[in-house]
């Protein structure tokens, strides 16, 4: 695989900030995506990074460092509904699969009152 | 409503049965995918179709057979499955390099 690593589980308190990290193999990198998946539901797209830096979308931000093979998803003002699995996915160049993504195992986030 | 629909949502089948999963996208996308999601494992890419042409078969056993009759429809034909094939099967579509949009999935149980 492409060695996409992220923590298995995290717990945070309602109203707080949480950062979910993702590391990946840098060779052939062609874009990084974050998805949210609630139990029993489809993954839904959150953010996309292909250049270094921070992309902000409301309470959610995503950061990328291509040289370090590192990204994080930042969730602010946590709400109970943010309890879900967060999937880091990377697109690599040169594969026969074109635009298909390679996924990490996901980080299960639990938001507590 | 995600724009990608899958049927059935749940399926229980015996090891000798033949069944098909259906996926339809209403987004005008030109690429469609089948992914398998098992507990404790990452989403695994199974098949990719770009412009109806299969461009990837990710070492998937022949008991899984995809079919893409047009750019809006994708099928996964199943036969002689094993219990370890029980999983959530997710269909997705994308337009070029855009973020793939996932359907709700089919929860498959092989008995």
């Amino acid at each position: 695989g492409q060695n996409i690593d992220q923590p298995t589980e995290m717990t945070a308190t309602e109203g707080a900030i949480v950062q979910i990290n993702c590391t990946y193999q840098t060779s052939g990198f062609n874009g990084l995506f974050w998805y949210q998946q609630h139990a029993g539901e489809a993954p839904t797209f959150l953010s996309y990074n292909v250049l270094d830096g921070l992309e902000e979308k409301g309470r959610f931000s995503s950061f990328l460092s291509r040289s370090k093979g590192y990204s994080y998803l930042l969730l602010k003002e946590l709400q109970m509904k943010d309890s879900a699995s967060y999937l880091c996915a990377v697109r690599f160049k040169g594969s026969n699969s074109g635009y298909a993504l390679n996924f990490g195992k996901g980080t299960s986030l639990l938001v507590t009152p | 409503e995600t724009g990608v629909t899958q049927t059935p949502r749940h399926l229980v089948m015996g090891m000798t049965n033949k069944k098909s999963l259906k996926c339809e996208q209403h987004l005008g996308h030109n690429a469609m995918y089948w992914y398998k999601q098992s507990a404790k494992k990452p989403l695994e890419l199974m098949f990719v179709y770009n412009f109806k042409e299969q461009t990837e078969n990710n070492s998937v056993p022949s008991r899984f057979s995809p079919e893409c009759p047009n750019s809006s429809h994708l099928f996964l034909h199943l036969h002689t499955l094993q219990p370890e094939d029980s999983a959530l099967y997710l269909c997705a579509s994308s337009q070029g390099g855009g973020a793939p949009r996932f359907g709700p999935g089919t929860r498959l149980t092989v008995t």
Side-chain angles (χ1 to χ4, degrees):
Chain A
Q2 268 73 20
N3 298 323
I4 301 169
D5 292 317
Q6 49 182 134
T8 304
E9 295 178 337
M10 298 184 72
T11 301
T13 305
E14 191 176 15
I17 299 173
V18 71
Q19 177 175 311
I20 303 174
N21 297 324
C22 174
T23 59
Y24 61 90
Q25 172 188 306
T26 58
S27 175
F29 174 81
N30 194 24
L32 187 142
F33 299 75
W34 284 96
Y35 281 80
Q36 180 191 61
Q37 186 177 24
H38 285 100
E41 298 183 12
T44 55
F45 170 70
L46 290 178
S47 69
Y48 169 64
N49 296 72
V50 68
L51 300 176
D52 291 350
L54 189 68
E55 294 285 337
E56 296 187 80
K57 265 187 182 182
R59 294 190 299 115
F60 292 5
S61 303
S62 58
F63 171 83
L64 177 68
S65 169
R66 288 172 296 170
S67 62
K68 295 181 179 177
Y70 168 69
S71 173
Y72 66 72
L73 180 69
L74 194 70
L75 291 73
K76 303 175 186 175
E77 301 169 18
L78 280 172
Q79 302 175 9
M80 299 297 289
K81 67 178 182 179
D82 296 329
S83 292
S85 184
Y86 291 86
L87 311 178
C88 175
V90 178
R91 176 181 293 147
F92 293 94
K93 298 176 190 174
S95 71
N96 291 330
S97 54
Y99 300 118
L101 304 185
N102 297 274
F103 283 82
K105 292 184 179 181
T107 298
S108 180
L109 174 66
L110 176 64
V111 179
T112 59
Chain B
E1 175 57 51
T2 65
V4 180
T5 58
Q6 289 186 243
T7 55
R9 294 293 307 275
H10 300 272
L11 178 62
V12 179
M13 59 186 289
M15 293 168 62
T16 58
N17 290 159
K18 288 184 180 182
K19 297 286 184 183
S20 295
L21 310 185
K22 178 182 176 181
C23 175
E24 183 174 0
Q25 58 98 357
H26 314 272
L27 302 166
H29 289 170
N30 59 11
M32 296 187 76
Y33 315 84
W34 281 116
Y35 280 90
K36 176 184 178 182
Q37 188 172 38
S38 306
K40 311 286 187 188
K41 295 176 72 174
L43 275 162
E44 301 171 52
L45 178 66
M46 299 177 73
F47 299 104
V48 181
Y49 280 83
N50 284 312
F51 296 98
K52 300 187 299 177
E53 298 295 321
Q54 184 176 314
T55 59
E56 177 85 0
N57 173 347
N58 218 22
S59 303
V60 178
S62 59
R63 57 185 183 268
F64 295 91
S65 174
E67 178 190 0
C68 188
N70 55 61
S71 58
S72 299
H73 294 85
L74 186 64
F75 295 89
L76 188 62
H77 303 300
L78 317 171
H79 66 96
T80 326
L81 293 191
Q82 305 298 310
E84 60 265 28
D85 296 323
S86 298
L88 180 68
Y89 288 84
L90 289 161
C91 173
S93 70
S94 71
Q95 178 62 30
R101 186 86 66 90
F102 284 86
T106 296
R107 174 67 63 185
L108 174 67
T109 303
V110 181
T111 61

